[in-house]
Amino acid sequence: MNEYIMTAAVYAVAGFLQGVTGFGSALVAIPFITMYLDFPSAVAMSVLCGTMLNAQLGWSYRRFADRNRLRPLFVGALPGVLVGVVLLRLVPGHAMKTGMGVFLLAYAAYGLFWERARLRGLSQLWGYVAGFCSGAFGAAFGAGGPPTVVYTTLSGWPKDAVKATLACFFLAVCVVSALAHMASGMWNMRVMLLVAVAAPAVWLGAHTGIIVSRRIGEHSYRRMLFILLAAMGGMMLYSAGA
């Protein structure tokens, strides 16, 4: 299949998934994009597409955004992005992916089969930790969603607040990561052409996902998050062993 057609198709699906759940586009996109792009270029592309996607979602859910919820995530992410760019260049990611994959599978199993009530009053100190880990994983692997999603599920926020928080936070992380990638020479003409092809597909997919999400209740949405975390954990373990 022509790589431009495949890119458009992949990012339409990725945009739809993120429109429904608030995260997960990299889970869909990167395994396919790396079939014809080297991993650093695929990460750079994923971050650029994530910037557009989260800007769209952030605007759609802007009235549910809360700066007090976002502040610890932002503060923690700044050093995390810098660490992630270094990790991408210097350190093999197999051990980190394996550890994160096992954690995500265990937490998703807990949420799906044993959780009976949402935890409330989670300390904001964990927001700094989640922000740092998301910044590092986002810059290093283009998939920084899991730590922040785990944090939001433990906080017990309603669906629209979760999606607003994820969109605003990931938008900021993507912008900083994209600038770091540009400065380190990861942008090239092929990446930019593929991003241009992906842009309308991302918008259409996300727009459709937002419409579908409005019909999903809080309980069903929460279960979808746990299922997606399990899928991401499995994908990380698979890629770590590949």
Side-chain angles (χ1 to χ4, degrees):
M1 182 185 292
N2 180 282
E3 67 181 37
Y4 295 109
I5 296 175
M6 184 170 181
T7 296
V10 166
Y11 272 99
V13 176
F16 175 80
L17 176 65
Q18 190 138 339
V20 172
T21 64
F23 83 109
S25 61
L27 171 68
V28 172
I30 286 183
F32 290 97
I33 301 304
T34 50
M35 293 172 62
Y36 49 88
L37 273 184
D38 60 276
F39 190 73
S41 294
V43 170
M45 181 181 174
S46 175
V47 168
L48 287 169
C49 290
T51 301
M52 296 183 290
L53 182 53
N54 285 297
Q56 180 181 356
L57 291 172
W59 178 257
S60 297
Y61 291 97
R62 63 192 182 278
R63 66 191 180 95
F64 299 103
D66 184 334
R67 66 182 63 184
N68 291 326
R69 290 171 176 162
L70 288 165
R71 186 180 300 112
L73 295 171
F74 286 146
V75 173
L78 292 175
V81 168
L82 299 178
V83 170
V85 172
V86 174
L87 290 175
L88 178 62
R89 289 294 187 181
L90 300 179
V91 181
H94 302 300
M96 292 181 64
K97 286 184 178 181
T98 299
M100 178 60 74
V102 170
F103 170 74
L104 290 178
L105 286 173
Y107 178 66
Y110 162 76
L112 287 169
F113 301 112
W114 291 290
E115 184 188 58
R116 292 292 178 266
R118 299 182 188 179
L119 299 178
R120 299 188 182 277
L122 189 68
S123 171
Q124 283 196 341
L125 290 175
W126 288 106
Y128 295 100
V129 176
F132 178 87
C133 294
S134 283
F137 269 80
F141 308 121
T148 301
V149 176
V150 169
Y151 172 66
T152 58
T153 57
L154 287 172
S155 297
W157 300 333
K159 176 182 70 172
D160 291 336
V162 168
K163 295 179 74 172
T165 301
L166 294 178
C168 293
F169 172 67
F170 291 148
L171 174 60
V173 171
C174 283
V175 168
V176 176
S177 299
L179 293 174
H181 291 163
M182 179 181 66
S184 62
M186 292 171 60
W187 290 6
N188 56 55
M189 184 58 68
R190 188 182 183 197
V191 167
M192 301 311 291
L193 285 173
L194 289 172
V195 169
V197 169
V202 162
W203 181 87
L204 181 61
H207 181 71
T208 305
I210 290 169
I211 293 173
V212 171
S213 178
R214 292 170 183 159
R215 301 177 178 273
I216 298 173
E218 293 285 346
H219 178 71
S220 297
Y221 173 73
R222 191 167 174 82
R223 291 189 65 81
M224 287 177 61
L225 290 185
F226 287 125
I227 291 170
L228 193 53
L229 285 172
M232 187 169 283
M235 187 69 71
M236 284 188 173
L237 288 177
Y238 175 79
S239 63

